[in-house]
Amino acid sequence: MTAPTGATPTTPATPTTPPDPDTPVTRVLVANRGEIARRVFATCRREGIGTVAVFSDADADSPHVAEADAAVRLPGLSSAETYLRGDLVIDAARRAGADAIHPGYGFLSENAEFARAVQDAGLVWIGPPMKAIEIMGSKVESKAMMRDAGVPVLDRLDPATVTDADLPVLVKASAGGGGRGMRVVRDLASLPGEIEGAAREALSAFGDATVFCERYLETGRHIEVQVMADRHGTVWAVGERECSIQRRHQKVIEEAPSPLVERTPGMRERLFEAARAATTAIDYEGAGTVEFLADERGEFYFLETNTRLQVEHPVTECTTGLDLVSLQLHVAAGGALPGEPPPTTGHAIEVRLYAEDPARDWQPQSGTLHEVDLGPAVRFDVPAFGPGGAGGAGGADGAQGLRVDSGVESGSVVGVHYDPMLAKVIAVAPTRRRAAAVLASAMERAVLVGLRTNRDLLVRVLRHPAFLAGDTDTAFFTTHGLAALARPLVAGDELRLSALAAALAEAAGRRAAAPVGRSLPSGWRNLPSVPQRTAYTVDGEDVVVEYRLGRDGLVTDLDDCALVRGDARSVVLDHAGVRRTFIVIVHGSQVAVHSSLGPVALERRPRFVDPSATVAAGSLVAPMPGSVVRLGVAVGDRVTAGQPIVWLEAMKMEHTVTAPADGVVTELAVSVGQQVEVDAVLAVVAEPDSVTTETPTTDTAESREGEQS
């Protein structure tokens, strides 16, 4: 499978302070964190370039800090105090002796003023010219420019002039992306509130509260073209990616090439032509992405140009053999690109593993990731590529294998200040179906203990008939049912079998740690007695295991089940003539079970409940740690089920806590700006009949009048 590519000469851009090609970059500071910082460091190490990290107080123990040759603290926790402070980042580069800054993605990566400041400081800016960032940083201005360049666009709508005829509309942040500051509005009455919320979110994430509206296409395909340009007049269209499967307008699964483009004659040529025209129009330099929204007929409209490396760049690297970060370094130092980019070979699919609960409105999770093992894979590199490519000796069909780009390790703490993405896992294979199969299997086998993730959802999508057929529009989760896609991979008797293995392993662990009688079976009695009983919860549902170990072996209510052998980590069960090994990993009350049936995450139920841990009926508790940004009610207000009560900001997104039923607000325990922990009581809503309303006496009413006057 080979996609045509091309190059177009353009007028060379003139940077503010061109680097001297005879003075190569020797030490790079990455003005970012986590996964993308580690990704840039990996290329720098391969090329013998020194590395510098910056870190907030929340990231002091982050793997990216340990991997850098030097690291500089940015005091504070929030993005506004740390990673968005360009002056602190540049000062860190000076102090650590860096001669170049790579912005990664997010934060300051598309901030023209930061790019100017970096160059004014005499440092090499590993990014596009400042003018290009300015133009593309404003989605309003960029759309007008693209229209003039002949690129098809969706018209911008002024929020003040939107009518019912325009609905539905999409409220978008003018600066930044990643789904932040983005809201779909289908009811005109809710437009002002959504604009206000989007502006708050955009200000927090990007430092710019400007938002606008455009017509919203309920279904569509998100197609983007990777571009690379040098200052000598060469512009590459490296290949397209499809990123249609999204949640909250954030990409979840990305792939290259696009199934839609593959089956639509002439679409790739038109896409590449439009992408090169967009790149040429702004005198671009470096790596960038031109994004389009397409329909099933192959018609497409310009969305934006991301003047940076994209999160999903690995699928392009895995199908071309390119190292896009290496090319960024080369171009930033004044180097020239070859006349033509390499062809696209094979198929790559990337999934974003998030600490979140898809079944509960994508609720982000925070806490300690006790264990993470994503299996055998290359890290931040291309799996073995075909002859003439990168990464070693591959077959004639190109790359085959797995790649992992991750910002966490076992023991990492996922906090509330930043995005909850744990890793990107990429499979590359000669065909799309094989890549999907390999990736689904790898995700199913991954060891993840400590946090709820979207792993089960990813596996179900990768194996879904519609996905395998290439029917992947932006309404995928709505069309195929989020609840069905998000349900656990293991259920029914298979779940009970996994829970039994967990109970047996835990019992073996207790016996091994017992001060006396270690050789006795768990729960041993002289005479048969009541069975051992262990209770777990899975997604809030109880799973109770009852068994007895006696002279005749394992006795349980699961028919035809025998214990072959077991210890605290591994249990082998024979069920209905099929023998399976269950690996059991225990951290406190969290128990993970891995077998050929699939992964199971159990929470051991305490035998006795602490009364102090219970909350009053009708209490609304914080689903995650965060900051209160808005209150929608006051004590005494009557509310209806689903009415917003409190808005929390966590992980750069706003989350709404709503009334569970009709009632009266009897308690409001928080105020705007307050930090709350998970499960903290935010408010209490009581049933209307349970609230006693007293009529104030005349004296009280008079005193109130006096106070108001």
Side-chain angles (χ1 to χ4, degrees):
M1 183 190 305
T2 301
T5 53
T8 298
T10 181
T11 303
T14 302
T16 304
T17 308
D20 182 353
D22 296 327
T23 307
V25 168
T26 61
R27 186 171 298 167
V28 173
L29 179 144
V30 179
N32 219 291
R33 62 179 299 277
E35 168 261 328
I36 184 56
R38 299 180 81 187
R39 164 68 190 92
V40 177
F41 292 163
T43 289
C44 289
R45 282 194 299 271
R46 287 193 288 267
E47 301 196 0
I49 297 173
T51 56
V52 180
V54 288
F55 63 95
S56 68
D57 291 339
D59 278 340
D61 296 322
S62 173
H64 85 273
V65 178
E67 286 185 0
D69 297 325
V72 180
R73 173 178 174 247
L74 305 178
L77 295 171
S78 70
S79 300
E81 296 174 302
T82 56
Y83 298 109
L84 288 173
R85 286 285 303 276
D87 56 333
L88 298 183
V89 172
I90 292 171
D91 179 65
R94 287 197 185 100
R95 286 194 282 155
D99 48 18
I101 290 182
H102 190 299
Y105 47 68
F107 295 133
L108 295 168
S109 63
E110 296 177 282
N111 186 306
E113 291 305 314
F114 178 62
R116 177 188 285 113
V118 169
Q119 294 171 323
D120 289 346
L123 302 170
V124 175
W125 167 247
I126 305 173
M130 183 192 62
K131 185 61 177 177
I133 300 175
E134 284 180 335
I135 295 171
M136 291 297 107
S138 169
K139 293 182 175 65
V140 175
E141 185 178 349
S142 65
K143 282 178 178 288
M145 192 169 198
M146 292 302 104
R147 185 185 294 106
D148 292 341
V151 180
V153 300
L154 285 172
D155 290 334
R156 179 180 68 91
L157 300 173
D158 184 342
T161 64
V162 172
T163 66
D164 283 318
D166 298 316
L167 298 177
V169 297
L170 186 64
V171 180
K172 297 180 71 173
S174 183
R180 294 171 182 85
M182 192 177 291
R183 311 290 178 89
V184 178
V185 179
R186 296 182 172 84
D187 176 13
L188 203 58
S190 64
L191 181 60
E194 296 292 6
I195 288 174
E196 181 184 340
R200 278 197 309 270
E201 206 166 79
L203 181 63
S204 173
F206 314 117
D208 185 345
T210 305
V211 298
F212 68 98
C213 296
E214 68 183 18
R215 184 165 59 94
Y216 178 62
L217 303 182
E218 293 283 2
T219 60
R221 308 286 282 252
H222 188 117
I223 313 292
E224 61 189 34
V225 179
Q226 175 71 56
V227 295
M228 178 67 70
D230 63 22
R231 68 179 58 135
H232 305 287
T234 300
V235 176
W236 282 0
V238 184
E240 88 280 349
R241 300 184 285 256
E242 180 158 344
C243 314
S244 298
I245 296 184
Q246 304 179 3
R247 60 97 163 99
R248 289 180 169 175
H249 310 289
Q250 290 180 306
K251 301 161 189 174
V252 177
I253 298 179
E254 304 102 342
E255 57 184 309
S258 159
L260 175 66
V261 175
E262 285 281 283
R263 65 177 181 236
T264 307
M267 185 178 179
R268 178 170 289 121
E269 290 76 10
R270 292 186 291 114
L271 269 173
F272 285 8
E273 182 181 355
R276 287 192 294 261
T279 306
T280 301
I282 59 174
D283 290 335
Y284 198 75
E285 178 186 318
T289 303
V290 186
E291 299 194 352
F292 301 92
L293 188 64
D295 60 26
E296 291 296 333
R297 299 172 300 171
E299 299 302 318
F300 53 85
Y301 305 92
F302 173 83
L303 287 176
E304 60 185 340
T305 295
N306 288 300
T307 53
R308 54 174 168 81
L309 203 63
Q310 289 281 86
V311 178
E312 58 274 16
H313 75 274
V315 295
T316 296
E317 294 186 327
C318 287
T319 51
T320 62
L322 292 172
D323 183 332
L324 293 175
V325 174
S326 178
L327 287 174
Q328 285 185 298
L329 294 167
H330 175 68
V331 168
L337 296 171
E340 295 287 336
T344 296
T345 305
H347 202 100
I349 304 174
E350 171 183 295
V351 295
R352 300 190 192 186
L353 180 67
Y354 283 99
E356 67 182 9
D357 187 349
R360 291 174 173 79
D361 194 28
W362 310 100
Q363 186 180 103
Q365 308 290 296
S366 61
T368 301
L369 188 62
H370 298 299
E371 289 195 37
V372 54
D373 183 355
L374 298 169
V378 300
R379 309 288 163 163
F380 305 105
D381 201 357
V382 177
F385 209 79
D397 289 330
Q400 169 79 55
L402 285 169
R403 165 175 170 170
V404 172
D405 288 17
S406 177
V408 299
E409 303 285 355
S410 295
S412 290
V413 176
V414 179
V416 301
H417 302 286
Y418 314 112
D419 189 274
M421 189 176 76
L422 302 177
K424 303 178 312 197
V425 186
I426 306 99
V428 58
T431 66
R432 184 173 183 271
R433 278 186 173 265
R434 188 188 297 182
V438 168
L439 186 52
S441 177
M443 294 306 299
E444 187 175 45
R445 295 170 184 271
V447 174
L448 301 164
V449 187
L451 292 174
R452 186 183 297 275
T453 72
N454 64 338
R455 180 251 300 277
D456 291 8
L457 172 108
L458 297 174
V459 173
R460 289 196 180 279
V461 171
L462 290 168
R463 291 174 174 166
H464 197 281
F467 177 84
L468 295 175
D471 299 332
T472 54
D473 62 30
T474 53
F476 191 91
F477 291 131
T478 300
T479 302
H480 301 290
L482 178 59
L485 292 169
R487 73 184 190 277
L489 291 170
V490 182
D493 282 349
E494 294 180 347
L495 172 60
R496 296 181 62 222
L497 196 62
S498 297
L500 173 61
L504 291 169
E506 288 203 90
R510 289 192 296 270
R511 295 312 307 155
V516 295
R518 295 180 185 177
S519 61
L520 296 176
S522 174
W524 182 85
R525 298 289 187 276
N526 281 322
L527 297 172
S529 183
V530 295
Q532 296 282 90
R533 189 174 189 275
T534 306
Y536 298 103
T537 60
V538 179
D539 288 331
E541 299 294 326
D542 291 341
V543 179
V544 178
V545 174
E546 292 188 344
Y547 68 92
R548 188 171 66 246
L549 291 172
R551 292 184 178 88
D552 297 326
L554 176 67
V555 178
T556 178
D557 58 353
L558 277 171
D559 294 334
D560 195 11
C561 186
L563 173 63
V564 179
R565 60 181 176 274
D567 55 33
R569 181 82 178 191
S570 175
V571 173
V572 181
L573 295 175
D574 191 308
H575 182 235
V578 179
R579 185 170 295 191
R580 289 186 176 87
T581 300
F582 297 81
I583 303 301
V584 181
I585 305 169
V586 181
H587 284 274
S589 63
Q590 296 176 331
V591 185
V593 184
H594 293 266
S595 72
S596 60
L597 297 174
V600 174
L602 304 167
E603 182 80 19
R604 190 188 322 104
R605 264 181 36 198
R607 296 183 64 185
F608 305 101
V609 178
D610 182 356
S612 65
T614 61
V615 297
S619 296
L620 279 68
V621 298
M624 70 208 76
S627 175
V628 178
V629 296
R630 184 181 172 195
L631 299 175
V633 297
V635 173
D637 286 355
R638 288 181 174 269
V639 296
T640 57
Q643 180 177 336
I645 304 296
V646 178
W647 282 260
L648 292 176
E649 181 183 70
M651 297 179 177
K652 300 196 287 184
M653 298 287 284
E654 278 195 8
H655 309 272
T656 306
V657 180
T658 61
D662 295 353
V664 175
V665 179
T666 59
E667 182 180 340
L668 197 59
V670 294
S671 57
V672 173
Q674 182 176 336
Q675 291 286 329
V676 296
E677 295 300 320
V678 64
D679 293 332
V681 175
L682 306 175
V684 177
V685 176
E687 296 181 5
D689 295 341
S690 67
V691 179
T692 302
T693 304
E694 297 183 359
T695 303
T697 63
T698 304
D699 290 341
T700 304
E702 288 176 352
S703 66
R704 287 178 179 172
E705 287 180 1
E707 290 172 358
Q708 291 171 356
S709 63

